[in-house]
Amino acid sequence: MKIKLMRICVLLFLCFCCLELSAQDKEWKLVWEEDFNGTELDESVWNYELGDGCPGLCGWGNNESQIYTKKNHRLHQGKLIITGRKEGSIYTSTRITTKAKKEFKYGKIEVRAQLPVGKGLWPAFWMLGSNIDEVKWPNCGEIDILEYVGKEPGMIFTSLHTKASHGNTLNTRKMRIKGIEEGFHTYTAQWTKDSISFYIDNELVYTFRPEQKTKETWPFDQPFYLIVNMAIGGNFGGPEIDDSALPQNFIIDYIKVYQ
């Protein structure tokens, strides 16, 4: 009898949890999505950031080796394909942002992506505070929803940068996931006025919730814009670059924002 009662209690508890999760899911409403349909990027949404970052931010602030162009990406069958190449002695790739076009304050931000492989490759999906031109980095804050470096196979990095950390990667978590380079996976940040939580394939990996919120510890109370890019080399991606692995593709299936 006791065993039956225990089973009933467990079943009721599981039902309650499922209902609770379902209710939480229903709270999120899709407010914007990018499915990369068509043959060209929608420039009413996306900006290209080109070159090597000079003169203002040479090496894009990280001693990166690539030059960003408008020729290292294509849209195919509803996917954005960013290709990292070596052309002669020059590395090329693509970097796009939604700055001043699509900016969001709080929400569930999700990307479904397939990673490239090879030492030196550094694909990322991330966000910067929209006030970056006024207050500069890291005061504007940075939300790194997905970072991967080819020199550490199987590892995914989720991080936050603030003035309190002097821009260093202190508020971070790296997680080893077997087979993460195989096929598509989803990378998500759930960002509220109180915390930011990161998920990989719906599994919680890290939550940042500072006890005291100041401009130094919590610049995340303002709109942020999206960035998609694949860097090559640099302080984090390098120093070694495996030229034999190139070209490689960073493929984005979709980006969705819920609030």
Side-chain angles (χ1 to χ4, degrees):
M1 188 69 179
K2 288 183 178 179
I3 293 174
K4 286 184 178 179
L5 283 172
M6 287 179 64
R7 286 177 177 173
I8 290 170
C9 289
V10 169
L11 286 170
L12 287 171
F13 175 75
L14 290 173
C15 288
F16 173 79
C17 290
C18 290
L19 288 170
E20 184 69 18
L21 287 171
S22 177
Q24 290 176 2
D25 287 341
K26 288 178 182 178
E27 291 177 3
W28 295 108
K29 293 184 179 180
L30 183 67
V31 296
W32 178 75
E33 64 180 317
E34 172 63 272
D35 291 320
F36 299 108
N37 293 318
T39 58
E40 295 182 356
L41 282 175
D42 182 355
E43 292 193 44
S44 70
V45 173
W46 295 102
N47 311 294
Y48 292 98
E49 292 194 334
L50 304 174
D52 60 3
C54 290
L57 197 65
C58 290
W60 297 98
N62 300 294
N63 295 313
E64 297 165 25
S65 300
Q66 81 290 331
I67 293 173
Y68 289 124
T69 80
K70 287 187 175 183
K71 299 179 180 180
N72 283 72
H73 74 281
R74 59 191 173 97
L75 271 58
H76 180 66
Q77 295 182 345
K79 295 178 177 61
L80 169 65
I81 303 172
I82 294 176
T83 303
R85 298 188 182 96
K86 187 176 185 184
E87 304 176 43
S89 60
I90 298 172
Y91 297 98
T92 60
S93 186
T94 290
R95 171 166 162 154
I96 55 174
T97 86
T98 64
K99 184 179 181 183
K101 295 178 178 179
K102 287 289 181 182
E103 299 180 345
F104 304 95
K105 179 180 177 180
Y106 309 139
K108 175 181 170 183
I109 300 97
E110 180 175 275
V111 66
R112 183 172 185 263
Q114 180 173 329
L115 300 170
V117 294
K119 287 185 179 179
L121 299 180
W122 177 8
F125 175 68
W126 50 302
M127 305 178 76
L128 285 173
S130 59
N131 64 347
I132 187 170
D133 292 337
E134 292 76 39
V135 303
K136 308 304 178 187
W137 186 91
N139 296 348
C140 64
E142 178 177 327
I143 304 171
D144 297 329
I145 300 171
L146 159 64
E147 285 188 291
Y148 171 87
V149 287
K151 66 184 179 183
E152 294 194 51
M155 289 290 190
I156 298 295
F157 296 79
T158 56
S159 308
L160 296 159
H161 298 266
T162 66
K163 184 180 180 181
S165 66
H166 305 287
N168 294 322
T169 312
L170 300 181
N171 307 308
T172 186
R173 181 67 49 85
K174 75 176 185 176
M175 186 172 182
R176 182 178 296 280
I177 302 174
K178 185 178 180 181
I180 195 66
E181 294 91 352
E182 300 169 8
F184 287 86
H185 299 270
T186 57
Y187 307 88
T188 309
Q190 290 192 13
W191 168 28
T192 72
K193 63 182 181 63
D194 298 312
S195 65
I196 301 177
S197 296
F198 297 95
Y199 297 79
I200 302 173
D201 291 332
N202 298 315
E203 180 180 347
L204 177 65
V205 297
Y206 175 57
T207 295
F208 177 64
R209 184 185 289 108
E211 292 183 4
Q212 295 184 341
K213 292 183 172 63
T214 66
K215 290 182 179 179
E216 288 73 26
T217 62
W218 187 259
F220 309 111
D221 56 358
Q222 57 157 331
F224 273 58
Y225 62 89
L226 306 171
I227 305 167
V228 182
N229 72 296
M230 177 161 60
I232 301 174
N235 298 339
F236 191 39
E240 182 181 348
I241 301 171
D242 181 4
D243 292 347
S244 67
L246 299 174
Q248 282 286 326
N249 294 326
F250 180 30
I251 307 175
I252 310 297
D253 183 15
Y254 64 74
I255 298 169
K256 294 183 179 181
V257 179
Y258 302 81
Q259 288 182 335

